[in-house]
Amino acid sequence: MENKKQVVMLKIASELSSLSTCSRLKVGCVITDEKFNIISGGYNGSVSGYKHCKDINKEKKSPCICVHAEQNAIIRSNQEFKLNKFVFVTTFPCYDCLKLLLSFGVKKIFYINNYRKMEKQLELCKNIGIDTCRVNI
């Protein structure tokens, strides 16, 4: 049953990623408690009130102006930082998002796709005992 819940949460993250306005990478994120109750979700998109990245960065040459999916999920959460949480992401978090997630109380990371450079993130997870699990959906 637990594996089915992991797949469902990753499918929800994948659906959230379809709302992304980023021209480079569409990412979705769901944060749950340890019983898989959804706390929050997010997708990557431009800073609130600003033009969408996909509209102003069509050639993907300018620096991305998007807030990451994990950041948006944390911003939209009203949960305490102390509670143990799981995160479900379509792409493994970048180093900065990983640090935020760990500070937010995430104890396990489920993901679909590897991030382009993730050695540093995996090392940090290993060093502090955070489980990571790549799931095929």
Side-chain angles (χ1 to χ4, degrees):
M1 181 66 137
E2 194 169 292
N3 190 43
K4 184 175 182 179
K5 289 180 181 181
Q6 294 168 9
V7 170
V8 168
M9 293 304 155
L10 285 167
K11 285 182 179 181
I12 294 170
S14 185
E15 285 296 315
L16 284 171
S17 75
S18 71
L19 299 172
S20 171
T21 60
C22 183
S23 61
R24 292 183 184 188
L25 181 65
K26 296 184 179 306
V27 179
C29 175
V30 173
I31 300 173
T32 72
D33 65 16
E34 292 174 303
K35 295 181 180 178
F36 300 94
N37 296 306
I38 296 174
I39 294 170
S40 185
Y43 55 90
N44 54 334
S46 296
V47 174
S48 186
Y50 196 67
K51 296 176 185 177
H52 293 299
C53 182
K54 66 181 182 181
D55 296 331
I56 61 173
N57 195 16
K58 293 178 184 175
E59 296 175 14
K60 304 175 187 176
K61 292 182 179 178
S62 301
C64 182
I65 57 162
C66 288
V67 177
H68 291 194
E70 302 91 338
Q71 296 166 337
N72 274 323
I74 290 171
I75 290 167
R76 287 170 174 73
S77 171
N78 63 358
Q79 293 291 311
E80 293 182 32
F81 278 63
K82 299 175 189 172
L83 300 174
N84 292 340
K85 300 170 192 73
F86 295 160
V87 69
F88 299 84
V89 287
T90 54
T91 302
F92 198 85
C94 72
Y95 194 67
D96 287 336
C97 284
L98 177 62
K99 292 186 294 183
L100 283 171
L101 290 167
L102 299 179
S103 295
F104 190 57
V106 168
K107 301 299 180 196
K108 191 162 188 174
I109 300 168
F110 299 90
Y111 65 102
I112 301 169
N113 301 306
N114 288 334
Y115 188 66
R116 64 182 181 264
K117 294 180 182 176
M118 57 188 275
E119 296 80 18
K120 194 162 75 167
Q121 293 94 302
L122 290 174
E123 183 179 341
L124 176 60
C125 288
K126 180 181 173 186
N127 288 341
I128 61 175
I130 300 298
D131 290 329
T132 62
C133 180
R134 187 170 186 190
V135 179
N136 292 317
I137 62 167

